[in-house]
Amino acid sequence: MSAWAVFVVLCAIYFLSLAVRRLYLSPLAAFPGPKLAALSNWYEFYYDVIQEGQFTFHIRELHKIYGKAIYPVSHFIC
């Protein structure tokens, strides 16, 4: 197997294990919220940069959907 193939396989294993950890094994996984947001900070990036600063307002909408405590990005609860 070539070095690139090994690299690709190791990267895939790393990202898969990271996803399992964040979605199922993290203490924060018990809180409700969008699963895509729990996986990475790209969810926040999309609403802050692409949607030009709408993440704060989107959090308000997430509270209406999921309740008081939500898991809007991969590293904190609000």
Side-chain angles (χ1 to χ4, degrees):
M1 193 182 300
S2 71
W4 281 107
V6 171
F7 176 74
V8 168
V9 168
L10 289 177
C11 285
I13 290 171
Y14 169 74
F15 287 118
L16 183 64
S17 66
L18 186 64
V20 168
R21 181 181 157 273
R22 287 184 177 173
L23 290 176
Y24 301 108
L25 303 177
S26 170
L28 299 178
F31 291 92
K35 296 300 181 191
L36 182 60
L39 286 175
S40 74
N41 291 332
W42 287 106
Y43 190 81
E44 181 181 8
F45 173 83
Y46 173 77
Y47 282 99
D48 271 344
V49 177
I50 306 300
Q51 294 291 324
E52 298 177 349
Q54 297 298 310
F55 187 65
T56 303
F57 304 109
H58 184 64
I59 287 178
R60 186 180 309 145
E61 295 300 318
L62 291 176
H63 279 296
K64 289 178 185 176
I65 296 169
Y66 294 106
K68 285 190 172 195
I70 59 169
Y71 189 21
V73 291
S74 64
H75 60 280
F76 73 90
I77 300 292
C78 68

